[in-house]
Amino acid sequence: MSLKTSLILAALCLLLLIHKVSTANQTYNRLKEFFTWKTLDFDFPDEATRTSAIQSGAHVKGNSLILGVEKWKDKLFVTTPRSWKSGVPSTLNYVNLKNSKPNSSPNLIPYPNYALNNIHSPNGPNTNGTNKIISVFRINVDVCDRLWMIDTGLADIRGEKKVISTPRIIIIDLTTDRIIKEHVIAKEAIVEKSFFANILVDASRNNCDRSFAYIPDLGGFQLIVYDLKKDETYKVNHHYFYFDPESGNYNVGGLNFQ
């Protein structure tokens, strides 16, 4: 290769590098902080309810952490799972984007209401826990204006590890704020170490009833598939679902995942 050719290639590489750096800077400049929280707080029906929740330990500031985020129109949905610590007053919440200012720390508003999220009320979870939303990790809004989630049914897994209900799929109509479907995961699809945290929905606006949800089982190394029209779940197993033994050890914030 001649010196002239080498110089041309070097110049092209330099231009490519400059372009990548410029593109990265443009992307970074487009990412702007909108909300920030040191500790999360929630809206309560009234001040008496807030005080009671704090005194009873149902609301412990600093114990709630945001995990799942999903946007629909003027609502930014956020989840605060109960699975890590107790003292989380509501697991499914939203922030009103229209009424919130940038760089603020707005209270989280329980969705669809506080009563459905309040597992510490006198009429708390029934025998199978299906009258409350127990603990939600990630959520998914589909093209039919529906909010899908998988309720793990678990609370305080690092402490007392309360199994309040069997994992179930919950679907909420966002235009009415009403639960339109609940489906308890079949016992045959659950193994000893099953843990359901995520859900991905495949739906068509032309046929909303013909929808499918895919739920990875993080502990059971399988995939749960839900058919909305048939109202059935079934599991898929494959050796590809298992971790690479040399690349499956993580430590995040003191929590070890293997």
Side-chain angles (χ1 to χ4, degrees), residues 1-8:
M1 183 183 295
S2 67
L3 177 61
K4 183 178 180 180
T5 303
S6 298
L7 290 173
I8 292 174

Side-chain angles (χ1 to χ4, degrees), residues 185-191 194 196 217 222 224 233-235:
I185 302 297
K187 291 183 179 180
E188 297 76 20
I190 301 175
V191 297
S194 285
F196 307 104
D217 185 349
Q222 58 183 355
I224 305 299
T233 52
Y234 54 93
K235 61 182 180 180

Side-chain angles (χ1 to χ4, degrees), residues 37-225:
W37 293 270
K38 289 185 178 179
T39 56
L40 296 173
D41 204 352
F42 298 78
D43 272 1
F44 289 84
D46 49 60
E47 197 58 35
T49 304
R50 173 190 292 276
T51 301
S52 176
I54 293 173
Q55 291 176 345
S56 67
H59 177 29
V60 179
K61 287 190 176 182
N63 280 13
S64 299
L65 298 173
I66 290 176
L67 185 74
V69 179
E70 188 81 312
K71 181 180 179 296
W72 180 78
K73 296 186 177 181
D74 292 327
K75 286 187 173 73
L76 180 68
F77 292 100
V78 294
T79 66
T80 47
R82 288 191 171 98
S83 298
W84 291 313
K85 291 184 178 181
S86 59
V88 180
S90 174
T91 186
L92 180 62
N93 319 275
Y94 75 95
V95 174
N96 191 317
L97 296 175
K98 185 180 292 186
N99 299 333
S100 301
K101 297 179 180 179
N103 301 316
S104 62
S105 305
N107 284 358
L108 303 186
I109 305 170
Y111 185 82
N113 53 58
Y114 176 71
L116 198 59
N117 280 275
N118 182 17
I119 64 173
H120 302 283
S121 63
N123 60 336
N126 53 24
T127 53
N128 57 9
T130 55
N131 64 328
K132 300 288 183 179
I133 302 177
I134 310 301
S135 185
V136 177
F137 279 70
R138 292 183 177 86
I139 48 183
N140 195 199
V141 172
D142 69 10
V143 295
C144 300
D145 296 322
R146 299 174 301 195
L147 180 65
W148 296 62
M149 69 206 74
I150 177 79
D151 187 347
T152 66
L154 299 174
D156 194 17
I157 57 177
R158 297 186 67 190
E160 298 180 17
K161 192 177 182 179
K162 300 175 183 177
V163 181
I164 300 176
S165 70
T166 303
R168 73 191 197 277
I169 298 167
I170 301 175
I171 308 173
I172 298 178
D173 183 345
L174 293 173
T175 63
T176 63
D177 300 326
R178 296 176 64 88
I179 294 177
I180 57 174
K181 190 68 179 179
E182 293 186 67
H183 178 89
V184 177
I185 302 297
K187 291 183 179 180
E188 297 76 20
I190 301 175
V191 297
E192 183 180 355
K193 294 185 177 181
S194 285
F195 186 75
F196 307 104
N198 207 346
I199 186 168
L200 184 64
V201 181
D202 180 14
S204 171
R205 188 176 282 107
N206 297 325
N207 190 358
C208 292
D209 290 337
R210 191 60 174 160
S211 301
F212 296 88
Y214 303 93
I215 305 153
D217 185 349
L218 303 182
F221 304 109
Q222 58 183 355
L223 180 69
I224 305 299
V225 181

